[in-house]
Amino acid sequence: MSIILKNLEKSFAGKAAVAGITADVAAGEFFAIVGASGCGKSTLLRLIAGLETADAGEILLGDRPVSGPGLHVPPEGRGVGVVFQSYALWPHLDVRGNVAFPAEAQGLGRAEAARRADAQLSTVALSGFANRKPADLSGGQRQRVALARCLAQGAETILMDEPLANLDPHLRQAMEEELAAFHRASGATTVYITHDQREAMAVADRMAVMSGGRFLQVGAPEQIYERPASVEVARFIGQGVVQPVTLRNGQAFLAGRAVTLRGAGGPDGPRFALFRPADLVADGTAADDLIAAHVLSVLYRGGQWEAKVKAGELAESFALHLTRPVRPGETLALRVLGGWLLPG
């Protein structure tokens, strides 16, 4: 089912958690919402699930209104499955029992519920674990059981709230691949909440950057990374530095130096531009058109060095990716290869 949000609002103690969000999630789409803690993303998920009642606005699942003026369909009437951080598995039931339980609770016969559970355990590659208890599974396997349980209860829409937050870093990467495979196999419309932008970009068809109860930008991950629509999105997504530039006769100038930027032009005057680490390279040879930057700190990232540098002519320190080791205190000559001119 598609998910349609129209001017959705929710406040707590007079403070807006969701402040007039309008968005469409297409049927079968994997839609990620990323933002810092407290931005309202979990509240939005709970509104879609029916666990919170909206103050204003509408929610439609497919063509069926489930929330609006005078209308609040409870969670059990929405046909959505929710996957939380904690997995919420029953320890006394085996894997098949956990997956089958919601279908049984809806009135499905035990044999049919077990058959449906086995089919969905196959979807998440856990057929051989049906008789095990949750305590005998790894964190990633427990998460897959929770996903299978959503599918087995007939959910066409799955809502995930930080589902990988409790996993070890190496397992999180493996589970990103599992989630992508799960989505392809199930075809379920998926809304995925996370504070980890890297995770969101890895799994999503489209993503929204959320702050202060609003969507700042919605688009494909590569669009948001390469072409952020505002300074706030540019600072939040990925590594890079936002710097003031000046447009004169269509040419951009950074600290008095002419630079070639991607993005639409506009009227002459002050603007901002985003420079990713790939846009700035250490040339090694001082020249008038290069920028002197001082190394503040260095981290080895396996095959490359990540240096935090500060150039006196630029407003902020920023990360620089290097293929050779450097030491704090060194001075690098930087060449600007490009950048993104933020919309005015």
Side-chain angles (χ1 to χ4, degrees):
M1 295 184 294
S2 62
I3 303 172
I4 300 173
L5 312 177
K6 298 181 179 180
N7 298 314
L8 200 61
E9 297 181 10
K10 179 65 178 182
S11 296
F12 298 99
K15 183 178 180 180
V18 175
I21 285 180
T22 295
D24 290 0
V25 180
E29 185 174 29
F30 200 125
F31 187 82
I33 302 172
V34 63
S37 297
C39 72
K41 56 188 185 294
S42 291
T43 298
L44 177 59
L45 192 87
R46 292 174 63 84
L47 288 170
I48 298 171
L51 299 170
E52 297 283 356
T53 303
D55 296 334
E58 300 176 70
I59 301 173
L60 289 83
L61 299 179
D63 57 0
R64 182 168 72 105
V66 296
S67 180
L71 173 67
H72 177 77
V73 176
E76 61 271 19
R78 299 197 180 194
V80 302
V82 184
V83 179
F84 297 103
Q85 290 182 30
S86 62
Y87 319 137
L89 302 180
W90 289 279
H92 64 288
L93 296 178
D94 62 17
V95 166
R96 180 184 288 112
N98 267 279
V99 175
F101 183 83
E104 290 183 36
Q106 293 172 356
L108 202 65
R110 178 167 294 181
E112 176 60 22
R115 186 199 64 77
R116 184 182 293 184
D118 286 340
Q120 300 308 337
L121 286 174
S122 177
T123 299
V124 298
L126 284 177
S127 296
F129 296 80
N131 297 318
R132 295 194 187 185
K133 295 291 181 65
D136 299 324
L137 303 179
S138 69
Q141 289 167 336
R142 293 177 196 176
Q143 191 62 276
R144 281 188 276 162
V145 173
L147 294 170
R149 182 173 57 191
C150 287
L151 292 176
Q153 71 187 57
E156 298 179 9
T157 300
I158 295 180
L159 311 177
M160 301 187 190
D161 191 0
E162 302 273 10
L164 308 186
N166 292 333
L167 302 182
D168 293 334
H170 73 281
L171 184 56
R172 293 180 72 161
Q173 183 171 351
M175 279 303 299
E176 289 168 6
E177 299 172 3
E178 297 275 4
L179 287 173
F182 163 79
H183 183 252
R184 288 193 300 269
S186 69
T189 305
T190 303
V191 176
Y192 187 92
I193 300 295
T194 180
H195 67 277
D196 188 330
Q197 54 182 270
R198 184 198 59 81
E199 189 178 291
M201 288 189 282
V203 300
D205 298 318
R206 284 193 307 149
M207 61 186 286
V209 180
M210 190 171 182
S211 178
R214 301 180 182 277
F215 284 171
L216 302 179
Q217 186 175 355
V218 178
E222 60 271 22
Q223 174 191 358
I224 291 178
Y225 180 84
E226 296 173 4
R227 302 185 296 280
S230 67
V231 170
E232 188 171 0
V233 174
R235 293 187 191 279
F236 183 77
I237 294 293
Q239 289 184 317
V241 59
V242 175
Q243 294 289 335
V245 297
T246 302
L247 283 189
R248 293 199 300 269
N249 300 321
Q251 174 65 62
F253 291 85
L254 170 68
R257 295 171 174 83
V259 292
T260 301
L261 301 179
R262 304 178 299 275
D268 286 355
R271 295 280 288 278
F272 284 95
L274 168 67
F275 300 93
R276 297 291 189 197
D279 294 322
L280 303 166
V281 298
D283 188 270
T285 304
D288 290 342
D289 63 335
L290 302 187
I291 297 173
H294 302 284
V295 178
L296 303 178
S297 61
V298 183
L299 296 173
Y300 181 62
R301 295 294 190 185
Q304 68 176 5
W305 286 261
E306 182 182 298
K308 184 177 182 181
V309 302
K310 178 70 172 71
E313 302 166 81
L314 305 184
E316 301 177 12
S317 59
F318 52 93
L320 191 67
H321 295 166
L322 304 169
T323 57
R324 62 178 178 84
V326 294
R327 295 182 179 277
E330 285 190 37
T331 298
L332 303 175
L334 302 184
R335 188 177 300 279
V336 180
L337 299 183
W340 168 250
L341 182 65
L342 291 160

